[in-house]
Amino acid sequence: MSDHSDHDVIIIGAGFAGMYQLHRLRQLGYDTRVIEAGEDVGGTWYWNRYPGARCDIESIEYSYSFDPELEQDWNWSERYAAQPELLSYAQHVAHRYDLRKHITFNCRVEEMTWSDDARRWTVTTDDGTSRTAQYVIAATGCLSVPSRPQFEGLADFKGEVYWTSRWPHEGVDLSGKRLAVIGTGSSGLQTITAIAPVVDALTVFQRTPSYAVPAHNGPIGERLADAKTRYHEIREASRMTRTGFQCNSGMRSLTETEAEEVRREFDARWADGGLCFPSAFKDILRDMKANDAAAEYVRGRIRERVKDPELAEKLSPRTYPIASKRMCVDTGYFEVYNQDNVSLVDINEQPIRRITERGITAGDTPHEFDVIILATGFDAMTGALNAIDIRSGDDRSLREKWAHGPRTYLGLMSAGFPNLFMVTGPQSPSVLSNMMTSIEYHVDWITRALEYLREHGLSRMEPALDAEDNWVNTTNDLAALTVMPQAASWYMGANIPGKQRVFMPFAGGVGTYKLIGDGVAVAHYHGFELS
Ligand code: NA7
């Protein structure tokens, strides 16, 4: 299929969001082109190929729901899918719905300019090509722009350097080598757990320890067979939860529950594993006393798992509320520190002074390595959109508009930038949820809006400024009802020097958000200006 230059819709990104959006619009006859920086589909699961990379949501929930036949045909092998299986799934979907011919790969969007006269966006890519489209849909991902802290001397290091977010496709042989890992978020934890058994020596440089719950991963077995008999019911229920997957959210307050019963509830969730842990009681995210109790339970588990009490204490998070950063789901992470070949450097005690030709100097101690792995995270939620020079008709840029934090209506559009939609944009549930549920909801919402415009002979859609202001205030108010803004997290933009600290996701929950989004659509897109 030729990649001509004028389209109805341009979608940026061919991850799970961009692929589903493309499929929906093709079905409805829109001339749609996807621009994708990678060589193939898959987004997050195309780039993040580090050892041990795995989803933190169960396969049954982290999968498309739009086609019952796809649900029946695809067989997940594990309770939590690993990166290779998720990438195969993305590739299967691309093949099954014949998506690739509408995607331009190895191509990055650099600039976009809106013309109000033409009612079109001009989209310019890094190969110098310009295309136009009536609508642009940014399916650019929430965690797609790596954060690369400037460690002094990194360029001098004579060994190998790898970023987890850009792991070489051909893989890396780490056996018998001396390794450093910097970063102990999800990517760091998964990498450390996977490589510890094969490397000669591993030193972990930790700035902030993570709260982690066990995955209890394994063959998916009966879970899949059961899901296949009632997928529809599972999806319907998940869409109305707080998190976009089923969690049996506790209706009791921890602070009003007997200590023994609290313990029993936590034990049950621990035995089950996964991210449902903080949903045990309704006040864990709202009340510091309840939050402290949950945090202390997890620290107790770390003390059980790590033999050296001093080391266990260093690995125990204490400086931020539990679940105020996305929790990690681990498979034997803490036990790794019982191995003789693994050591921990707490960089609060021994700051990384510089990277040298031979390794890392922390405090006054030089450490020698063959390989340094950086698992330092992402410029989350706004990074990918701000990386594009997006200009409105009067030459205002989105980047400037968002300098003091993102401003959107429903996390779907931003005033002043008509006909530009975002899938899982800031101020929508996105990273606080099962991304698949949130992606499908947004894609369906955007598709329905485009159909509405088409059916009513309209060609321009933009949020009203007061609707946007109200939404920004609502998202801030909802976050302020929780303990989440207390952490220096990437939800707050706190991991990026100079980034405005503001809580970016919508904390009201997936189900509530859906009710609001559906209501806005039913009320003829209340809060949007259509013309
Ligand atoms: P995260 O969760 O942002 O983790 C990044 C880690 O790197 C975290 O431990 C950071 O410490 C650490 N970091 C970042 N910069 C530095 C510097 N300059 N020095 C030392 N340590 C540093 O990213 P992940 O990729 O692990 O996970 C992202 C999401 O992907 C995850 O939540 C899941 O949803 C999947 P900090 O905490 O900032 O002190």
Side-chain angles (χ1 to χ4, degrees), residues 56 143 149 151 182-188 207-208 325-326 347 375-378 490:
D56 59 5
L143 296 163
F151 292 103
I182 303 178
T184 49
S186 283
S187 304
R207 186 163 74 183
T208 312
K325 296 181 174 199
R326 186 153 171 142
I347 64 174
T376 49
F378 299 88
W490 54 257

Short mmCIF file of all heavy atoms in Angstrom, two decimals, residues 56 143 149 151 182-188 207-208 325-326 347 375-378 490, ligand 1:
data_model
loop_
_atom_site.label_atom_id
_atom_site.label_comp_id
_atom_site.label_asym_id
_atom_site.label_seq_id
_atom_site.Cartn_x
_atom_site.Cartn_y
_atom_site.Cartn_z
N ASP A 56 3.34 -6.76 34.43
CA ASP A 56 2.93 -6.85 35.84
C ASP A 56 1.42 -7.05 36.00
O ASP A 56 0.89 -7.01 37.11
CB ASP A 56 3.44 -5.64 36.64
CG ASP A 56 2.91 -4.31 36.11
OD1 ASP A 56 2.08 -4.32 35.18
OD2 ASP A 56 3.34 -3.26 36.63
N LEU A 143 5.30 5.40 28.75
CA LEU A 143 6.66 5.14 29.21
C LEU A 143 7.51 4.75 28.00
O LEU A 143 7.96 3.61 27.87
CB LEU A 143 6.65 4.00 30.24
CG LEU A 143 5.89 4.30 31.54
CD1 LEU A 143 5.56 3.03 32.30
CD2 LEU A 143 6.70 5.24 32.42
N PRO A 149 19.89 9.77 32.86
CA PRO A 149 20.62 10.69 33.73
C PRO A 149 22.08 10.80 33.29
O PRO A 149 22.67 9.83 32.80
CB PRO A 149 20.53 10.02 35.10
CG PRO A 149 19.49 8.98 35.00
CD PRO A 149 19.36 8.61 33.58
N PHE A 151 25.44 10.57 34.07
CA PHE A 151 26.45 10.14 35.05
C PHE A 151 27.81 10.61 34.54
O PHE A 151 28.20 10.27 33.41
CB PHE A 151 26.44 8.61 35.20
CG PHE A 151 25.18 8.10 35.84
CD1 PHE A 151 24.18 7.51 35.08
CD2 PHE A 151 24.99 8.23 37.21
CE1 PHE A 151 23.01 7.06 35.66
CE2 PHE A 151 23.82 7.77 37.80
CZ PHE A 151 22.83 7.19 37.02
N ILE A 182 22.23 0.02 37.78
CA ILE A 182 21.79 1.24 38.45
C ILE A 182 20.28 1.37 38.22
O ILE A 182 19.82 1.37 37.08
CB ILE A 182 22.51 2.49 37.90
CG1 ILE A 182 24.03 2.34 38.04
CG2 ILE A 182 22.02 3.75 38.61
CD1 ILE A 182 24.84 3.51 37.47
N GLY A 183 19.53 1.45 39.32
CA GLY A 183 18.07 1.58 39.20
C GLY A 183 17.38 0.35 39.74
O GLY A 183 17.69 -0.78 39.35
N THR A 184 16.42 0.57 40.64
CA THR A 184 15.70 -0.56 41.26
C THR A 184 14.19 -0.34 41.20
O THR A 184 13.47 -0.57 42.17
CB THR A 184 16.16 -0.75 42.72
OG1 THR A 184 16.14 0.52 43.38
CG2 THR A 184 17.56 -1.31 42.80
N GLY A 185 13.70 0.13 40.03
CA GLY A 185 12.27 0.10 39.76
C GLY A 185 11.94 -1.26 39.15
O GLY A 185 12.72 -2.22 39.27
N SER A 186 10.80 -1.35 38.47
CA SER A 186 10.39 -2.64 37.89
C SER A 186 11.44 -3.21 36.94
O SER A 186 11.75 -4.41 36.99
CB SER A 186 9.09 -2.48 37.10
OG SER A 186 8.02 -2.40 37.96
N SER A 187 11.97 -2.36 36.07
CA SER A 187 12.94 -2.85 35.08
C SER A 187 14.19 -3.37 35.78
O SER A 187 14.73 -4.43 35.43
CB SER A 187 13.33 -1.74 34.10
OG SER A 187 12.21 -1.21 33.47
N GLY A 188 14.67 -2.60 36.78
CA GLY A 188 15.86 -3.02 37.52
C GLY A 188 15.61 -4.33 38.24
O GLY A 188 16.41 -5.28 38.14
N ARG A 207 19.08 3.76 44.74
CA ARG A 207 18.78 5.09 45.33
C ARG A 207 17.54 4.99 46.22
O ARG A 207 17.53 5.50 47.32
CB ARG A 207 18.57 6.12 44.22
CG ARG A 207 18.40 7.53 44.75
CD ARG A 207 18.60 8.57 43.68
NE ARG A 207 17.49 8.64 42.75
CZ ARG A 207 17.46 9.43 41.68
NH1 ARG A 207 18.50 10.22 41.41
NH2 ARG A 207 16.42 9.45 40.87
N THR A 208 16.51 4.31 45.70
CA THR A 208 15.27 4.15 46.47
C THR A 208 14.81 2.70 46.35
O THR A 208 14.62 2.22 45.23
CB THR A 208 14.16 5.07 45.91
OG1 THR A 208 14.68 6.39 45.72
CG2 THR A 208 12.97 5.13 46.83
N LYS A 325 4.17 4.92 44.28
CA LYS A 325 4.86 4.64 43.02
C LYS A 325 4.29 3.31 42.57
O LYS A 325 3.90 2.51 43.43
CB LYS A 325 6.37 4.46 43.23
CG LYS A 325 7.08 5.70 43.72
CD LYS A 325 8.57 5.38 43.86
CE LYS A 325 9.36 6.62 44.22
NZ LYS A 325 10.79 6.46 43.93
N ARG A 326 4.26 3.03 41.27
CA ARG A 326 3.70 1.74 40.85
C ARG A 326 4.49 0.62 41.51
O ARG A 326 5.72 0.58 41.40
CB ARG A 326 3.75 1.59 39.33
CG ARG A 326 3.04 0.34 38.86
CD ARG A 326 2.53 0.50 37.46
NE ARG A 326 2.03 -0.73 36.89
CZ ARG A 326 0.96 -0.79 36.11
NH1 ARG A 326 0.27 0.29 35.83
NH2 ARG A 326 0.57 -1.94 35.59
N ILE A 347 23.20 4.22 47.41
CA ILE A 347 23.89 5.43 46.95
C ILE A 347 23.50 6.68 47.75
O ILE A 347 24.04 7.76 47.51
CB ILE A 347 23.75 5.65 45.42
CG1 ILE A 347 22.31 5.90 45.00
CG2 ILE A 347 24.36 4.51 44.65
CD1 ILE A 347 22.20 6.26 43.53
N ALA A 375 18.94 1.10 34.46
CA ALA A 375 17.49 0.84 34.49
C ALA A 375 16.84 2.05 35.15
O ALA A 375 16.20 1.96 36.19
CB ALA A 375 17.20 -0.43 35.28
N THR A 376 17.06 3.22 34.54
CA THR A 376 16.75 4.49 35.22
C THR A 376 15.41 5.10 34.81
O THR A 376 15.16 6.26 35.13
CB THR A 376 17.90 5.50 34.97
OG1 THR A 376 18.20 5.52 33.56
CG2 THR A 376 19.14 5.11 35.73
N GLY A 377 14.58 4.37 34.12
CA GLY A 377 13.20 4.81 33.91
C GLY A 377 12.96 5.68 32.69
O GLY A 377 13.75 5.68 31.74
N PHE A 378 11.87 6.45 32.76
CA PHE A 378 11.34 7.15 31.57
C PHE A 378 10.90 8.57 31.92
O PHE A 378 10.54 8.86 33.07
CB PHE A 378 10.12 6.39 31.04
CG PHE A 378 10.43 4.99 30.61
CD1 PHE A 378 10.37 3.94 31.53
CD2 PHE A 378 10.81 4.71 29.30
CE1 PHE A 378 10.68 2.63 31.14
CE2 PHE A 378 11.11 3.41 28.91
CZ PHE A 378 11.05 2.37 29.83
N TRP A 490 7.66 9.16 39.23
CA TRP A 490 7.49 9.63 37.85
C TRP A 490 6.03 10.00 37.56
O TRP A 490 5.75 10.70 36.61
CB TRP A 490 8.07 8.66 36.83
CG TRP A 490 7.63 7.22 36.87
CD1 TRP A 490 8.35 6.18 37.37
CD2 TRP A 490 6.41 6.65 36.36
NE1 TRP A 490 7.66 4.99 37.23
CE2 TRP A 490 6.46 5.26 36.60
CE3 TRP A 490 5.29 7.17 35.73
CZ2 TRP A 490 5.43 4.38 36.23
CZ3 TRP A 490 4.26 6.31 35.36
CH2 TRP A 490 4.34 4.94 35.62
P1 NA7 B 1 11.33 3.48 37.30
O1 NA7 B 1 10.26 2.83 38.06
O2 NA7 B 1 11.26 4.96 37.08
O3 NA7 B 1 12.72 3.12 38.02
C1 NA7 B 1 13.90 3.80 37.74
C2 NA7 B 1 14.91 3.48 38.78
O4 NA7 B 1 16.14 4.15 38.47
C3 NA7 B 1 14.51 3.97 40.18
O5 NA7 B 1 14.98 3.06 41.13
C4 NA7 B 1 15.25 5.29 40.27
O6 NA7 B 1 15.48 5.72 41.57
C5 NA7 B 1 16.54 4.94 39.58
N1 NA7 B 1 17.25 6.12 39.11
C6 NA7 B 1 16.82 7.03 38.21
N2 NA7 B 1 17.76 7.97 38.03
C7 NA7 B 1 18.79 7.65 38.83
C8 NA7 B 1 20.06 8.25 39.09
N3 NA7 B 1 20.42 9.39 38.50
N4 NA7 B 1 20.87 7.64 39.96
C9 NA7 B 1 20.49 6.49 40.55
N5 NA7 B 1 19.32 5.88 40.38
C10 NA7 B 1 18.48 6.47 39.51
O7 NA7 B 1 11.48 2.85 35.84
P2 NA7 B 1 11.31 1.32 35.42
O8 NA7 B 1 11.74 1.24 34.00
O9 NA7 B 1 11.95 0.42 36.38
O10 NA7 B 1 9.77 1.06 35.51
C11 NA7 B 1 8.84 1.89 34.85
C12 NA7 B 1 7.49 1.24 34.78
O11 NA7 B 1 7.51 0.22 33.79
C13 NA7 B 1 7.02 0.52 35.98
O12 NA7 B 1 6.44 1.32 36.95
C14 NA7 B 1 6.02 -0.47 35.43
O13 NA7 B 1 4.79 0.15 35.20
C15 NA7 B 1 6.62 -0.83 34.14
P3 NA7 B 1 14.41 6.72 42.31
O14 NA7 B 1 13.23 5.86 42.62
O15 NA7 B 1 14.08 7.80 41.31
O16 NA7 B 1 15.13 7.23 43.49
#
